[in-house]
Amino acid sequence: MPRNTEKLIIADKQYNSRLLVGTGKYRDFNETRDAIVMSGAEIVTVAIRRVNIGQNANEPSLLEVLPPSKFTILPNTAGCYNAKEAVRTLRLARELLDGHALVKLEVLADDSTLFPNMPETIIAAKELVADGFQVMVYCTDDPIQAKALEEIGCVAVMPLASLIGSGMGILNPWNLDIILDRATVPVLVDAGIGTASDAAIAMELGCDGVLMNTAIAKAKNPVLMASAMKKAVEAGREAYRAGRMAKKIYQASASSPSEGKIT
Amino acid sequence: MAVLIHSLLSGLMQIPDTCYYFLLISALIFMSINIQFNGETKSLVESITVAALLADLPLAGKRFAVERNGEIVPKSQLANVDVCDGDSFEIVIAVGGG
C-alpha cells in the first residue's frame, strides 16, 4: 500500500510525530520528562501496575509528569502472558484514563525472549475490538499474523524489529517489507531499535512510525539520544518519501561528467 | 467458612441473598470481613464503602482504577459500593513502561 500521507493517522487521529516512546527504565521522572519532550513524541506508552501502598502521597505520579492533556497516553499490557490478563489490564486502564480507547496490546510468550504470544494476542485483540477499544498491537514480523490482526480490526500493527530491549536493530527488513506491502492500517516497528540508524532504516522501509523505549532510556545520555531519534525518524521518513535511487550492484556510475577532462 | 454459614442461615431463615444481610449475619456472629487487597489479606472490623477502603492510600488527586472481583468499579460508584467478606480488590495506577 502507498504510505505517502503527510502525517501519521491512527484511528482517524492525526499526529505530527512518527516517533512513539515508552516511559520505562529512566533514572527518575525528571529524566523521563526531559527525554520525552526532546523526542517530540506525542504518543507515550505507560504500564498499569498495583498502587504501592507504602508510597508517599506527595510524590508525583507519572501522569502528573506527563499529563494526558499534553500527551496521548497509550496504556500497554506489558507483563501479560495471556489474553485474559491483557483484557483485564486494559479495562482498568480505560477506567483510569476516563474512557480512553487507544491502547497497546502486548501478550508475551516467554520471559527470556519477551516474544509475542500470537494465539493469545489474537484472542485478546478480538475481545478488545468487540469491546470498543482501538488496538495497536505488538506482534511477530509474520505477514500472515499481521494481516489477521488487521482483519480483526486493530488500528495499527506493530511487528518487532528484534527482541524487546535488545537493541539489535532490524533483523528482517524483508518480512517488514511484505507486511508493509499488504497492510492497509499503519505499521509501526515496535521493539529492538538500538540507535538512530535503526530508526531511520525502519522509516526508509516505509514504516508509518517507530516505537522505542530502551534505546533512549538506556543511552548514556538519554536526552541527547531522544534528539537523535527524533531526527532519525524524520530523516528516514523524508528519504522514503523522496524515493531512493536504484541500487546498482556491479556497475559504478561516475558523478562527474566524462567530457571536458584535461588531457 | 463464612459462605457456608451464610448459606445455612439463609436457607433456614429465608433471608434474601444480599450483601447487606450477609454483612449483618457476619457481624452478629462476630466475624470480621476478610478481603484480598492488591494480593494481600486484609481484615476489616466493620462494613465500609470502597471509597472508605481507599481513603488511606496515596491517591489524592491522582488517576487510579479499582477492580472488585474482576469487575471495574467506576469512580462514580466508589462511595456507593460496600466491601463484602471475600471480596478481592485490585487498585492500579499508570507507571513507566514500554
Side-chain angles (χ1 to χ4, degrees), chain A residues 5 9 18 20 24 34-35 37 39-40 43 56-57 61 78 89 103 109 172 184 197 207 211 244 251 256 261 263:
Chain A
T5 52
I9 299 170
R18 292 178 179 272
L20 288 70
D34 292 349
V37 168
S39 77
I43 302 178
N56 182 348
S61 66
T89 299
V103 295
N172 195 338
T184 57
S197 53
C207 290
L211 200 169
R244 62 153 296 148
Q251 183 61 57
S256 307
K261 289 190 285 186
T263 50

Side-chain angles (χ1 to χ4, degrees), chain B residues 58-72:
Chain B
L59 295 171
K62 295 187 167 67
R63 287 174 177 270
F64 62 95
V66 179
E67 185 193 72
R68 171 179 177 251
N69 304 330
E71 300 287 329
I72 303 287

Side-chain angles (χ1 to χ4, degrees), chain A residues 91-161:
Chain A
R91 287 194 174 129
L92 279 162
R94 181 166 62 181
E95 166 65 16
L96 191 150
L97 292 166
D98 301 327
H100 172 87
L102 188 69
V103 295
K104 173 181 163 183
L105 173 63
E106 167 179 326
V107 188
L108 305 174
D110 171 296
D111 65 4
S112 66
T113 64
L114 302 178
F115 220 69
N117 180 333
M118 292 311 295
E120 291 291 316
T121 300
I122 296 271
I123 294 167
K126 283 180 183 164
E127 199 167 330
L128 290 165
V129 169
D131 196 12
F133 284 93
Q134 295 168 339
V135 181
M136 300 176 70
V137 57
Y138 170 63
C139 57
T140 51
D141 63 353
D142 173 339
I144 307 303
Q145 299 295 322
K147 195 67 190 173
L149 288 163
E150 177 184 328
E151 283 165 359
I152 286 166
C154 292
V155 298
V157 292
M158 305 201 290
L160 76 171

Side-chain angles (χ1 to χ4, degrees), chain A residues 23-122:
Chain A
T23 55
K25 298 182 179 173
Y26 286 97
R27 264 195 295 272
D28 53 36
F29 280 156
N30 284 336
E31 191 182 74
T32 310
R33 185 195 49 235
D34 292 349
I36 287 169
V37 168
M38 181 61 83
S39 77
E42 294 161 287
I43 302 178
V44 299
T45 66
V46 302
I48 303 298
R49 291 291 181 269
R50 285 171 168 168
V51 65
N52 182 356
I53 294 162
Q55 198 183 10
N56 182 348
N58 298 322
E59 279 174 24
S61 66
L62 180 66
L63 295 184
E64 288 168 297
V65 177
L66 302 170
S69 55
K70 288 190 184 159
F71 295 90
T72 296
I73 304 296
L74 188 66
N76 76 14
T77 59
C80 291
Y81 286 82
N82 59 57
K84 195 176 164 214
E85 286 171 9
V87 171
R88 221 178 132 193
T89 299
L90 291 178
R91 287 194 174 129
L92 279 162
R94 181 166 62 181
E95 166 65 16
L96 191 150
L97 292 166
D98 301 327
H100 172 87
L102 188 69
V103 295
K104 173 181 163 183
L105 173 63
E106 167 179 326
V107 188
L108 305 174
D110 171 296
D111 65 4
S112 66
T113 64
L114 302 178
F115 220 69
N117 180 333
M118 292 311 295
E120 291 291 316
T121 300
I122 296 271

Side-chain angles (χ1 to χ4, degrees), chain A residues 153-256:
Chain A
C154 292
V155 298
V157 292
M158 305 201 290
L160 76 171
S162 49
L163 301 184
I164 293 176
S166 71
M168 291 290 288
I170 295 168
L171 299 187
N172 195 338
W174 308 105
N175 271 22
L176 288 177
D177 222 16
I178 304 171
I179 293 172
L180 286 161
D181 185 54
R182 296 183 176 189
T184 57
V185 293
V187 177
L188 293 89
V189 157
D190 181 3
I193 298 296
T195 188
S197 53
D198 299 330
I201 290 169
M203 297 310 295
E204 286 169 18
L205 283 168
C207 290
D208 296 273
V210 179
L211 200 169
M212 66 180 76
N213 189 152
T214 313
I216 297 175
K218 287 297 166 196
K220 287 198 178 69
N221 183 337
V223 178
L224 191 55
M225 186 58 88
S227 167
M229 291 299 186
K230 179 183 186 199
K231 291 168 184 159
V233 167
E234 287 171 358
R237 181 67 187 174
E238 284 188 4
Y240 170 73
R241 290 181 66 210
R244 62 153 296 148
M245 61 165 281
K247 286 183 182 173
K248 297 188 197 102
I249 301 177
Y250 301 113
Q251 183 61 57
S253 168
S255 298
S256 307

